Amino acid sequence: MSESAPRPTLEAVAARAGVSRATVSRVVNGFDGVREPLAERVRRAVDELGYVPNQAARSLVTRRHDAVAVIVAEPETRVFADPFFARQLRGISKELTAHDNQLVLLLTEDRDDHARVARYLAGGHVDGALVFSLHIDDPLPGLIQRAGLPTVFGGRPHWNGGEDGVRYVDTDNRGGARDAVRHLLSLGRSRIAHITGALDQTSAVDRLDGFRDVMADPDPALVEEGDFTAASGERAMRELLGRRPDLEAVFAGNDLMAAGALRALREHGRRVPDDVAVVGFDDMLPIAEQTEPPLTTVRQDIEEMGRLMARLLLRDLEPGTAPDETAGAGPSGVVLPVTLVRRASA
Amino acid sequence: MSESAPRPTLEAVAARAGVSRATVSRVVNGFDGVREPLAERVRRAVDELGYVPNQAARSLVTRRHDAVAVIVAEPETRVFADPFFARQLRGISKELTAHDNQLVLLLTEDRDDHARVARYLAGGHVDGALVFSLHIDDPLPGLIQRAGLPTVFGGRPHWNGGEDGVRYVDTDNRGGARDAVRHLLSLGRSRIAHITGALDQTSAVDRLDGFRDVMADPDPALVEEGDFTAASGERAMRELLGRRPDLEAVFAGNDLMAAGALRALREHGRRVPDDVAVVGFDDMLPIAEQTEPPLTTVRQDIEEMGRLMARLLLRDLEPGTAPDETAGAGPSGVVLPVTLVRRASA
DNA sequence: CCCGGCGGCGAGAGCGCTCTCGCCGCGTGC
DNA sequence: GCACGCGGCGAGAGCGCTCTCGCCGCCGGG
């Protein structure tokens, strides 16, 4: 009882079914070339013994692991605390398990971790990697690229993704920003301010670009940089109100900053949306619904993003694909659509 | 170039250093019994060739994987969307990587997934499991227990944890609830209502028990069941106001419900905290800080909880421990302290 | 009726590692 | 000075699987 029953091996199944190991292997892996009466006998033996293949032994010879690393480079608690991460993971997980792949999670915070991650990837424990790295000075993408593993990035990487066939999935930040600003225009507002996110992240840059697309040559006084936190949104809003008391609307780079902006507006006696209309980004629940008033915002399908990343990666891992020449086949960057969600704030 | 360089094997390192495989193995794994001049030669060979051990081959013989499964049973999007999950994972990840263990993430939603998880665990790909399963009717804990893997649960399991040495880590929900209610009493409020969480979860039950500990024999009209969502908090608050318009304070089972309650109170023209004081639970950021007014709440160190779970599990995995007799050694349930965070709502 | 072909199955050689065992050389005790 | 012991190192046997190869039996064609 204290000796846990030794797990049955292929050998044991073969013996019980009265066939060779090779035949059992064929049946277990669904290869054809085994005729029915025999195959059935093997399947019964597998059931009776409760046989489960030893993945280590299998990997040793196939050099596949059916496992994918998900690497999240997040030194800051902020992003970690938001629900995005969980949703993306969920999407990734669904897609991976649908294809019998495991998800190995690597969270990194500092430089030391980078070495560890690099070593892990070089160790060949996984077949590919999904990488979330937001900041411009992050050495991680380089390290990973060097490891030579098939990789898909979450969010457009900095080094001009698409260039050398770097695969990534991103939301349509720029288009979403345009939608948001156009919506404000359609409300009859013309003096529209923008609170940017942390501009060392492509998402923030793209949203700013979208804002500029529509506002063509906006008053610099109407743009203030934030860092995606509520506190920064509040501060930025005060700044903006000081510079342009006549502003009629704000497009915040995310919902958290929008929430902060709402507080500053309330503090300054501005009514939302009557005096100032506010639009956020992300549709970050439950924040976006809980603010006063609830936020009009740009929703991205974050779970789908995860799913898509996984799908792209798995496609690269298929035996057909050339191992090194990942470029060329298929799109290197995929951009997911967004939708404007109208609530009370604009 | 298109042929990725074949990874060097132990054999190759041995050849280069002019020693046997066994000696290289000893050096690589830090066993002693290799004298200095030789050991140094081996280390140099390892460096020069960039040797990284093949984990699959190693696992095959050691039957260890240095990997732990984290299983999250979460059919509902709700909990998934909250930041807890990410924080816990972070704590777990830190502890695991500190001990060179990998984190394999398994997310389950429906019954089909259970079978898959059970199969995976039975497959012996991981050395242990950390399990988050909230609901009373979840068959997962049973399945996992049956797999015979060392396991630590996040949150007190339903089947009377501690009974047969089931290991778990939980927050002091009951004590935290007592603190919250006592705080309200200290504010001079006596007609205190409670909005419970979903009572099929032990955390909700324990918080209710804590409420009752202090309020000894409370008016049933002052207790209303919610389900941890903001909407349920709002509804429950309306209900309570209808039944007991004279209530002076509310202890909500979590911050989300507290946020909902705030809305209902505002809608009914009650000022917070002047007319009605509100206390939440979790200190779920950024929600708790963003409400109007910001929430007084009970904070739990969720990251520490994850870290502790991992630590407990790793201890069980140490070679010293008897593989099956996990009971007996050390505490089977660990309860983490909480702290009351005072903000404006109470 | 004989021969070639083909498809089903078994034999066996590894994949890269760990770990036991035994050998050998050195130091120590009498 | 000799036997004994002990510690350092190498040889070799697997761990459980996949996959190539070759054998054998069955079929069809000449």
Side-chain angles (χ1 to χ4, degrees):
Chain A
M1 186 55 76
S2 96
E3 290 301 293
S4 59
R7 287 178 47 198
T9 71
L10 246 205
E11 188 77 48
V13 177
R16 176 158 196 127
V19 298
S20 72
R21 281 201 322 279
T23 298
V24 178
S25 178
R26 281 187 267 258
V27 172
V28 167
N29 294 306
F31 295 152
D32 38 53
V34 179
R35 261 181 306 222
E36 211 18 80
L38 245 200
E40 179 53 28
R41 229 163 66 211
V42 170
R43 278 190 291 268
R44 225 184 19 243
V46 166
D47 278 2
E48 288 167 357
L49 295 177
Y51 170 74
V52 184
N54 180 320
Q55 184 61 36
R58 180 180 283 173
S59 295
L60 184 55
V61 33
T62 60
R63 284 140 169 16
R64 284 239 359 176
H65 300 85
D66 295 317
V68 167
V70 173
I71 301 166
V72 182
E74 213 28 80
E76 292 163 43
T77 317
R78 184 188 59 70
V79 179
F80 217 96
D82 88 25
F84 268 46
F85 173 61
R87 293 244 181 77
Q88 262 164 339
L89 269 186
R90 197 228 270 278
I92 291 171
S93 168
K94 276 188 185 162
E95 188 71 21
L96 288 183
T97 62
H99 293 83
D100 277 312
N101 268 260
Q102 294 311 320
L103 192 170
V104 177
L105 186 65
L106 302 177
L107 304 179
T108 77
E109 286 184 70
D110 44 44
R111 302 291 154 119
D112 297 354
D113 288 344
H114 288 344
R116 181 174 54 76
V117 168
R119 215 175 330 116
Y120 182 74
L121 294 180
H125 308 243
V126 292
D127 301 325
L130 298 175
V131 180
F132 296 90
S133 163
L134 300 176
H135 299 283
I136 199 162
D137 58 342
D138 194 332
L140 200 61
L143 283 174
I144 292 166
Q145 209 73 357
R146 223 164 300 142
L149 274 183
T151 303
V152 174
F153 286 85
R156 181 168 68 79
H158 280 94
W159 11 289
N160 208 8
E163 176 194 329
D164 46 354
V166 174
R167 290 203 187 292
Y168 68 88
V169 177
D170 202 357
T171 8
D172 188 5
N173 289 303
R174 191 164 184 162
R178 283 195 292 250
D179 291 351
V181 179
R182 284 203 198 100
H183 173 66
L184 290 170
L185 285 173
S186 79
L187 259 35
R189 319 282 168 131
S190 52
R191 290 185 295 280
I192 303 176
H194 178 43
I195 303 175
T196 76
L199 291 175
D200 66 335
Q201 302 180 23
T202 51
S203 60
V205 172
D206 292 351
R207 289 169 197 184
L208 174 57
D209 285 346
F211 173 77
R212 286 190 175 132
D213 287 346
V214 179
M215 295 301 288
D217 205 16
D219 181 354
L222 281 172
V223 176
E224 178 67 22
E225 186 171 347
D227 64 5
F228 283 134
T229 65
S232 80
E234 195 170 341
R235 187 200 52 71
M237 191 69 245
R238 281 200 206 99
E239 214 78 42
L240 289 167
L241 284 170
R243 289 204 298 258
R244 292 291 304 260
D246 61 336
L247 60 80
E248 301 167 316
V250 185
F251 165 49
N254 74 348
D255 290 344
L256 235 38
M257 295 194 297
L262 287 180
R263 259 214 303 259
L265 287 168
R266 189 161 37 218
E267 171 191 312
H268 284 249
R270 301 291 211 283
R271 288 167 308 162
V272 177
D274 313 73
D275 301 329
V276 179
V278 176
V279 177
F281 205 113
D282 289 347
D283 194 26
M284 181 190 201
L285 298 177
I287 288 286
E289 284 177 331
Q290 296 298 321
T291 54
E292 184 60 32
L295 282 174
T296 291
T297 186
V298 179
R299 171 184 299 165
Q300 37 178 329
D301 189 345
I302 206 67
E303 187 170 328
E304 176 61 21
M305 182 171 167
R307 197 155 26 214
L308 200 56
M309 286 176 67
R311 202 170 305 154
L312 249 52
L313 182 61
L314 289 175
R315 224 201 38 193
D316 274 4
L317 296 182
E318 259 156 33
T321 325
D324 268 322
E325 323 287 329
T326 40
S332 64
V334 178
V335 175
L336 262 48
V338 295
T339 55
L340 190 74
V341 179
R342 293 205 49 182
R343 294 202 183 87
S345 73
Chain B
M1 185 58 74
S2 97
E3 290 300 293
S4 60
R7 287 178 46 197
T9 71
L10 248 204
E11 189 75 49
V13 177
R16 177 157 195 129
V19 297
S20 73
R21 279 201 325 277
T23 297
V24 178
S25 178
R26 279 188 267 259
V27 172
V28 168
N29 294 305
F31 295 152
D32 39 54
V34 179
R35 261 183 305 223
E36 209 21 80
L38 245 198
E40 179 52 30
R41 228 164 67 213
V42 170
R43 278 190 290 268
R44 225 186 17 246
V46 166
D47 278 3
E48 288 167 359
L49 296 177
Y51 170 73
V52 183
N54 180 319
Q55 183 62 34
R58 180 180 281 174
S59 294
L60 184 55
V61 35
T62 60
R63 283 135 190 327
R64 284 239 0 176
H65 301 85
D66 296 316
V68 166
V70 173
I71 302 166
V72 182
E74 214 27 80
E76 292 163 41
T77 316
R78 183 189 58 72
V79 178
F80 218 95
D82 88 27
F84 269 45
F85 174 62
R87 293 242 182 80
Q88 264 165 339
L89 269 186
R90 198 230 269 275
I92 292 171
S93 168
K94 276 187 185 162
E95 189 69 21
L96 288 183
T97 62
H99 293 81
D100 278 313
N101 267 262
Q102 294 311 322
L103 193 170
V104 177
L105 186 66
L106 302 176
L107 304 179
T108 76
E109 285 185 72
D110 44 44
R111 302 292 154 117
D112 298 353
D113 287 344
H114 288 343
R116 180 174 54 76
V117 169
R119 215 177 327 117
Y120 182 74
L121 294 180
H125 308 242
V126 292
D127 301 325
L130 298 176
V131 180
F132 297 89
S133 163
L134 300 175
H135 298 283
I136 197 160
D137 58 340
D138 195 332
L140 201 59
L143 284 174
I144 292 165
Q145 209 73 354
R146 223 164 301 141
L149 273 184
T151 303
V152 174
F153 287 85
R156 181 168 69 79
H158 279 94
W159 13 289
N160 207 9
E163 177 194 328
D164 46 353
V166 174
R167 290 201 188 292
Y168 68 87
V169 176
D170 202 357
T171 15
D172 187 4
N173 290 303
R174 192 161 181 167
R178 282 196 292 250
D179 291 352
V181 179
R182 284 203 198 99
H183 173 66
L184 290 170
L185 286 173
S186 78
L187 260 36
R189 319 282 169 130
S190 53
R191 289 185 296 279
I192 303 177
H194 177 43
I195 303 175
T196 76
L199 291 175
D200 66 334
Q201 304 181 22
T202 53
S203 61
V205 173
D206 292 351
R207 289 169 197 183
L208 174 56
D209 286 346
F211 174 76
R212 285 188 175 136
D213 288 345
V214 179
M215 294 302 288
D217 206 17
D219 181 354
L222 281 172
V223 176
E224 179 67 24
E225 185 171 346
D227 62 6
F228 283 133
T229 64
S232 80
E234 193 170 342
R235 187 201 51 72
M237 191 70 246
R238 280 199 206 101
E239 213 77 41
L240 289 167
L241 284 171
R243 288 204 298 258
R244 294 289 305 258
D246 61 337
L247 60 81
E248 301 166 316
V250 186
F251 165 48
N254 74 348
D255 290 346
L256 236 39
M257 294 195 298
L262 287 179
R263 259 212 306 257
L265 287 167
R266 188 161 38 223
E267 171 192 310
H268 283 250
R270 301 291 211 284
R271 289 165 307 160
V272 176
D274 314 76
D275 301 330
V276 178
V278 176
V279 177
F281 205 114
D282 291 347
D283 194 25
M284 182 189 198
L285 298 176
I287 286 285
E289 284 177 331
Q290 296 298 322
T291 54
E292 185 59 31
L295 281 176
T296 291
T297 186
V298 178
R299 173 184 296 165
Q300 38 178 329
D301 188 344
I302 206 66
E303 188 169 329
E304 176 61 21
M305 181 172 167
R307 198 154 27 209
L308 199 54
M309 287 176 65
R311 201 170 306 154
L312 249 52
L313 182 61
L314 289 175
R315 225 200 39 192
D316 275 5
L317 297 182
E318 259 156 32
T321 326
D324 267 323
E325 321 287 327
T326 40
S332 65
V334 178
V335 175
L336 263 50
V338 296
T339 56
L340 190 74
V341 179
R342 293 206 49 181
R343 294 202 183 87
S345 73

